[in-house]
Amino acid sequence: MADLILELKDLHVSVGETEIIRGIDLTIERGSVHALMGPNGSGKSSLSLALMGHPKYRITRGVARFEGRDILEMSPDARSLAGMFLCFQYPSSVPGVSVANFMRNTLMARHKGAAPLTPAKFKSLLDDATKRLKMDPAVLGRYVNDGFSGGEKKRLEMMQMLVLKPTLAILDETDSGLDIDALKVIAAGIEAYRSPEHAVLLITHYQRILNYVKPDVVHVLVKGQIVQEGGFELAERLESGGYDPFTKDLVGA
C-alpha cells in the first residue's frame, strides 16, 4: 500500500468569487518528487498557497489530507509544524530580523517538546547548509532577504528547507530568474533534501531544472485542471511543443 504524504481529491480553490482550481486529484507518496508544470495563470501558485492556508485562497470543495490529516482543520502554523513547507516564489523581506535569529527561532519551534536544539547542533546545521548552497556565512548576520538579490533569496529558501527538513516541500518556481550556475546549486540543494522520508512538489514552467532534479511524476496543470500526467518524457514534450496543445485540447473538450 502506498505511503501517501499528500492526497487531494476533487479539490476546488477560489479567490473571491473566481474559481482557480477546478477539481484536481493528486497523490504524492513518501520518497517521491512530483513536478507540477503549467503556463502562466494555470493555478500552480494558487494551489501551493491554498495548501499552506493562505486566507485569500479558499478551498471550497474536495478533500486535502497531509499524512492522513484533514488540512482544512489545521491552521497555517499547524500545517508548518506538522511538516509542510513552502518555498515562496517571491520571498518577503524581514528587516530587523537576522537570518541566524530567524532560523534559530524557527528551529526551536520545531523542536518544542522534542530533543533540545543545542548551540553546537544549530551551528552544524547552518554550516552544512551554507556550504552546500555555496553561500557566504556572513549571510547569517544579514536581515532576512533585506537587500538580497533574487538568487540569494532562492538560496535562503533552500537553506530553510535543508535545515528544517520538512516532510513535504512545496517549491513554487524556485528556479525562476536563476542563471545556470545558481540553478545547478538550487538543484543540488533539492537533491540533498531528497530522501525516502521526504517528498517534493516542484512547481515550474520549464524543463531545465528537471534536467538536474529528475521527477518521478510530471503533472500538467492548465486552467485549474490537471490535463496530463507522465514521467520525465512529458516534460521533454512540453519543452519542445509548449503548452498550446494541452490548452487547445481543454478548450475543445
Side-chain angles (χ1 to χ4, degrees):
M1 185 175 179
D3 185 2
L4 298 182
I5 284 183
L6 184 70
E7 183 179 18
L8 309 178
K9 290 183 179 178
D10 191 30
L11 196 78
H12 293 249
V13 174
S14 291
V15 176
E17 299 301 318
T18 304
E19 187 170 61
I20 307 297
I21 299 296
R22 299 185 292 153
I24 67 169
D25 297 329
L26 175 66
T27 56
I28 297 181
E29 307 80 13
R30 196 178 304 278
S32 63
V33 173
H34 289 235
L36 182 64
M37 305 182 72
N40 290 324
S42 59
K44 304 184 299 300
S45 294
S46 295
L47 175 62
S48 69
L49 292 167
L51 292 177
M52 295 306 299
H54 192 300
K56 181 180 174 183
Y57 301 84
R58 295 181 300 109
I59 295 177
T60 57
R61 198 168 84 197
V63 172
R65 295 193 185 98
F66 173 69
E67 294 193 304
R69 298 175 62 184
D70 183 354
I71 69 169
L72 300 184
E73 297 180 351
M74 301 164 68
S75 64
D77 63 317
R79 298 178 198 192
S80 175
L81 291 172
M84 297 178 68
F85 175 84
L86 173 63
C87 273
F88 289 96
Q89 185 177 354
Y90 304 109
S92 298
S93 300
V94 189
V97 178
S98 71
V99 170
N101 277 333
F102 175 76
M103 295 303 305
R104 183 184 299 111
N105 283 295
T106 307
L107 273 168
M108 287 176 66
R110 295 253 172 165
H111 278 251
K112 189 176 181 179
L117 177 66
T118 64
K121 176 66 173 175
F122 178 61
K123 184 177 184 306
S124 173
L125 289 171
L126 293 188
D127 286 348
D128 181 66
T130 52
K131 185 177 179 180
R132 284 184 182 279
L133 297 169
K134 299 182 179 180
M135 300 173 75
D136 184 345
V139 73
L140 300 173
R142 296 172 61 187
Y143 295 150
V144 175
N145 288 325
D146 191 25
F148 282 30
S149 68
E152 287 176 323
K153 289 180 180 179
K154 300 292 186 179
R155 292 185 196 219
L156 184 53
E157 294 287 288
M158 285 290 103
M159 176 195 283
Q160 294 171 52
M161 183 184 72
L162 290 175
V163 171
L164 295 174
K165 293 184 172 55
T167 305
L168 172 65
I170 302 171
L171 312 181
D172 187 8
E173 298 190 28
T174 303
D175 55 334
S176 66
L178 298 179
D179 61 41
I180 187 63
D181 294 326
L183 181 71
K184 289 180 179 178
V185 170
I186 293 297
I190 298 171
E191 284 295 331
Y193 164 78
R194 192 173 193 164
S195 85
E197 301 302 317
H198 303 146
V200 175
L201 179 59
L202 176 56
I203 296 172
T204 184
H205 286 293
Y206 308 108
Q207 177 205 332
R208 61 176 193 161
I209 193 169
L210 303 183
N211 290 329
Y212 305 102
V213 181
K214 287 291 188 296
D216 297 293
V217 185
V218 174
H219 311 267
V220 181
L221 186 71
V222 176
K223 297 184 181 300
Q225 296 178 285
I226 292 179
V227 296
Q228 187 116 12
E229 295 174 320
F232 178 68
E233 71 283 354
L234 178 55
E236 293 179 310
R237 281 175 51 200
L238 288 169
E239 186 69 16
S240 61
Y243 292 106
D244 277 354
F246 298 95
T247 304
K248 290 174 181 174
D249 287 347
L250 192 62
V251 171

